[in-house]
Amino acid sequence: VLNGCLLSDSSLRRQNRTERNNIKETAHFISAGISEEYIKFIKNELPFKFSFYTHKSKTSFIKKRQQTITGKEAYFIRSNCDKTLDSLYDKWYPIYNDRKKLVPRDLVLTPTTVLHWYIGDGQKSTMKSGIRIHTNSFSVEDVEFLQELLKKEGLIFNVYLKYDKIYDKYYPILT
């Protein structure tokens, strides 16, 4: 479940916390979406303590895309800092990649992982009868790696570069 969420729009973040007067960096998990039911499912499924909150999006949900989602109720969960997330943070946001998110090369795609990835970033394709999975935060190399993992499971996807006029850049998607 956690890896599927991280393939989607969920994230891990590090922050300083004080433990016995020592400051330590520890990771926490963050997820958001417009389905209250799904966000509550994630909150209950993962073994961390979470805070849950909602708000109507105005400027802070996805800053550059606010015109498409303004006024929709958004649901957020944020876990407490948890030492068990530190190693996952180092895998998904390695130092050698300047702490930018990437797909860990030891990732195993299970049906559950793919399901949660699709719930977060998938959609029915307008072309023919397929699906599309958005992969905006990953490099072309990461997406080609994911394409190969999906192929091993019998799922055939093409990598397609889509232009995003809001961000003025191309990003890879799987179709």
Side-chain angles (χ1 to χ4, degrees):
V1 174
L2 186 58
N3 282 327
C5 290
L6 289 171
L7 284 169
S8 181
D9 295 328
S10 298
S11 64
L12 294 171
R13 302 230 174 104
R14 273 228 168 110
Q15 77 177 45
N16 291 332
R17 69 184 185 107
T18 304
E19 185 178 284
R20 295 189 184 125
N21 296 325
N22 292 321
I23 296 177
K24 295 186 176 186
E25 262 195 350
T26 307
H28 61 272
F29 174 81
I30 300 170
S31 192
I34 58 172
S35 168
E36 179 179 16
E37 184 177 317
Y38 180 67
I39 294 298
K40 283 184 175 178
F41 171 82
I42 296 300
K43 177 181 178 276
N44 294 328
E45 191 71 17
L46 297 177
F48 311 110
K49 292 182 181 178
F50 285 97
S51 56
F52 174 82
Y53 56 98
T54 68
H55 78 79
K56 287 216 182 227
S57 58
K58 290 195 168 57
T59 58
S60 64
F61 184 50
I62 299 176
K63 292 178 183 170
K64 290 194 175 185
R65 293 188 180 271
Q66 64 212 30
Q67 71 279 9
T68 60
I69 59 170
T70 297
K72 289 188 178 180
E73 196 84 65
Y75 303 93
F76 296 81
I77 54 173
R78 180 185 181 280
S79 76
N80 292 343
C81 289
D82 193 303
K83 291 177 191 175
T84 60
L85 292 171
D86 288 345
S87 62
L88 270 178
Y89 179 85
D90 290 335
K91 271 187 184 186
W92 284 88
Y93 303 85
I95 291 172
Y96 66 82
N97 199 41
D98 294 326
R99 296 295 187 192
K100 293 178 185 161
K101 191 177 192 181
L102 61 68
V103 178
R105 293 309 187 249
D106 64 348
L107 179 70
V108 176
L109 287 184
T110 66
T112 301
T113 302
V114 175
L115 171 67
H116 289 281
W117 180 22
Y118 179 77
I119 289 171
D121 272 346
Q123 72 180 85
K124 187 174 185 284
S125 178
T126 56
M127 300 166 19
K128 299 185 180 177
S129 60
I131 64 169
R132 174 181 292 170
I133 302 177
H134 292 270
T135 54
N136 310 35
S137 64
F138 298 118
S139 68
V140 172
E141 294 79 18
D142 281 341
V143 177
E144 288 171 345
F145 173 72
L146 288 167
Q147 178 188 31
E148 286 303 311
L149 290 179
L150 289 164
K151 189 177 184 179
K152 288 178 185 175
E153 300 302 320
L155 300 168
I156 306 303
F157 283 85
N158 295 309
V159 177
Y160 167 71
L161 289 176
K162 182 176 180 173
Y163 181 70
D164 185 328
K165 62 184 175 184
I166 294 170
Y167 289 101
D168 191 28
K169 73 172 196 171
Y170 286 90
Y171 66 90
I173 60 174
L174 291 165
T175 61

